[in-house]
Amino acid sequence: MATLKELAEYTGFSITTISRVLNNDPTMNVSDTTRSVILEAAGKLHYRTSRAASRSRAGRGRQLKIGLAEMLSPLEQLEDPYYMYLKNYSLQHFADAGCAVIPLIWDQSAYLPSSSEKLDGILAIGIFSDAQTNSLASLSSSVIFLDSAPDELRFDSVVLNFQLGVEQAVDYLIAHGHREIGFLGPCRKLDQKKRPAPEVRREFFIQSMKERGLFRSEYMLDASPMTSAASRKYLTQRLAQGGPMPTAILAANEEAAIGAAGALRSSGLSIPKDLSIISFNDTPLSALTDPPLTSISSHVDAMSATAIHMLLQRISGQAPEIPLKVMVPPTLIVRESVRTF
């Protein structure tokens, strides 16, 4: 097991620089290349920080205190249940592990724990700005992000492989005879650091359709935001205008798909006779719609379980010194919302 001195000799950086990088000092301003060199060297030489060792000792025989940071409020989660399911599964896995969960409250400048107890680790669900991630890092050296990866050189993360999910949906629709395929969702959304950016599922859909020679811009149904109400309003207006419609759509999330189903019903149309739909996320709602939605499952239980396992490994000092990113492969769940064309 290497020492800081040996790491300094190996990399050429000072002991102070190496120590601050390895301890995720949010005030440390170094290039991504420098950070990467130090982290790779630490892993190669099996360096273990004194903080990691102390976490390993302290984690035995007492209840761990875990901070929980959420992108969405409870009310907002009702409009996008995907995040509610991520949270609920996470809480269950923490309970199974005997951990105490302490909500973290954002006060516009910093995260504040709802308890004065020292945090052993933090689970952050959703996407967060640089200021928010730095605030979380100041509360604990063990932070994992669930459903985003804002800084892969500093934090562990668990995310979904959106590209694989889009390709599964497109290939399934093509296999069932569809060639006129559209996408329902926003043009832009917040990126991994909470900045406006092109919506990733939409971008992967365009790429996938172009590769197959099937992309048609008129079938891009740009409903925003990704809520049931917004999608229903957009598609109702689109149908009333009588413009060109695809035979099938991939909806950016479950709520958009549910909104589309409502628009079709109010227009005297039905799924899948008049329009086939595949949605993203596949929470229990997908099986309860009429008809049940064929969906790209994000495996929210597995994502949550993986994040909690990684966080507990990080707290105990059993994780590698370098941050880890796990990309979960989604699965196509076939139900009744797609017909053979």
Side-chain angles (χ1 to χ4, degrees):
M1 187 178 297
T3 64
L4 280 175
K5 181 180 179 181
E6 290 169 332
L7 276 179
E9 293 173 350
Y10 183 86
T11 63
F13 297 112
S14 70
I15 290 177
T16 299
T17 296
I18 292 172
S19 177
R20 292 176 68 185
V21 167
L22 293 178
N23 284 287
N24 285 325
D25 184 346
T27 66
M28 184 63 179
N29 185 20
V30 298
S31 69
D32 289 346
T33 300
T34 296
R35 191 185 300 275
S36 179
V37 168
I38 291 174
L39 293 176
E40 288 178 4
K44 184 176 182 179
L45 300 181
H46 305 291
Y47 174 77
R48 191 181 186 195
T49 64
S50 58
R51 183 179 295 182
S54 65
R55 286 200 303 268
S56 180
R57 293 191 297 271
R60 302 189 190 108
R62 68 174 180 82
Q63 186 180 45
L64 294 175
K65 306 296 189 300
I66 308 297
L68 177 63
E70 298 181 78
M71 175 183 72
L72 298 183
S73 68
L75 183 60
E76 290 170 327
Q77 289 175 25
L78 294 177
E79 294 184 348
D80 193 349
Y82 169 72
Y83 288 101
M84 180 178 66
Y85 282 106
L86 280 179
K87 178 185 71 174
N88 289 344
Y89 278 121
S90 297
L91 291 176
Q92 183 59 60
H93 291 304
F94 278 132
D96 292 342
C99 300
V101 177
I102 299 169
L104 300 178
I105 302 167
W106 178 250
D107 74 345
Q108 306 305 316
S109 61
Y111 274 105
L112 302 176
S114 60
S115 167
S116 60
E117 296 181 272
K118 180 177 174 58
L119 299 177
D120 296 291
I122 293 173
L123 172 68
I125 302 176
I127 57 178
F128 301 84
S129 66
D130 283 338
Q132 289 174 321
T133 58
N134 287 333
S135 178
L136 292 173
S138 72
L139 295 175
S140 175
S141 59
S142 298
V143 180
I144 188 166
F145 287 84
L146 178 55
D147 201 50
S148 71
D151 191 338
E152 296 178 31
L153 292 175
R154 294 176 64 193
F155 305 107
D156 293 323
S157 58
V158 177
V159 298
L160 188 69
N161 188 335
F162 284 120
Q163 183 173 11
L164 178 59
V166 168
E167 290 176 350
Q168 288 181 74
V170 169
D171 286 342
Y172 182 79
L173 290 171
I174 291 174
H176 282 71
H178 294 273
R179 296 297 182 271
E180 297 178 324
I181 305 170
F183 181 88
L184 177 65
C187 296
R188 298 179 67 79
K189 195 171 175 285
L190 299 180
D191 70 3
Q192 302 287 289
K193 295 188 176 183
K194 221 169 186 177
R195 302 167 302 191
E199 210 290 318
V200 293
R201 281 156 288 203
R202 185 179 189 274
E203 293 298 296
F204 285 135
F205 174 82
I206 292 172
Q207 174 185 323
S208 181
M209 292 296 287
K210 285 183 175 180
E211 288 174 351
R212 292 158 176 79
L214 296 173
F215 176 71
R216 291 178 62 176
S217 60
E218 63 268 32
Y219 293 152
M220 301 301 292
L221 309 179
D222 298 326
S224 182
M226 294 193 324
T227 63
S228 176
S231 295
R232 180 169 184 161
K233 179 180 179 181
Y234 173 90
L235 196 55
T236 297
Q237 293 174 343
R238 173 85 176 219
L239 291 168
Q241 291 168 359
M245 283 291 294
T247 63
I249 60 171
L250 171 60
N253 69 351
E254 198 170 62
E255 290 302 295
I258 291 172
L264 289 167
R265 281 195 299 270
S266 65
S267 302
L269 304 175
S270 65
I271 302 170
K273 178 183 176 182
D274 298 296
L275 183 69
S276 292
I277 296 180
I278 295 180
S279 76
F280 251 97
N281 293 349
D282 193 51
T283 74
L285 289 174
S286 286
L288 300 176
T289 59
D290 183 21
L293 290 170
T294 294
S295 186
I296 301 297
S297 175
S298 52
H299 303 298
V300 287
D301 190 4
M303 287 182 68
S304 301
T306 301
I308 276 62
H309 175 74
M310 290 171 63
L311 179 59
L312 297 181
Q313 291 287 100
R314 180 68 61 194
I315 292 170
S316 69
Q318 299 177 46
E321 286 296 333
I322 59 170
L324 300 178
K325 177 182 179 180
V326 172
M327 185 171 285
V328 176
T331 303
L332 179 71
I333 306 299
V334 176
R335 296 194 180 94
E336 301 169 27
S337 62
V338 175
R339 75 177 180 98
T340 300
F341 192 77

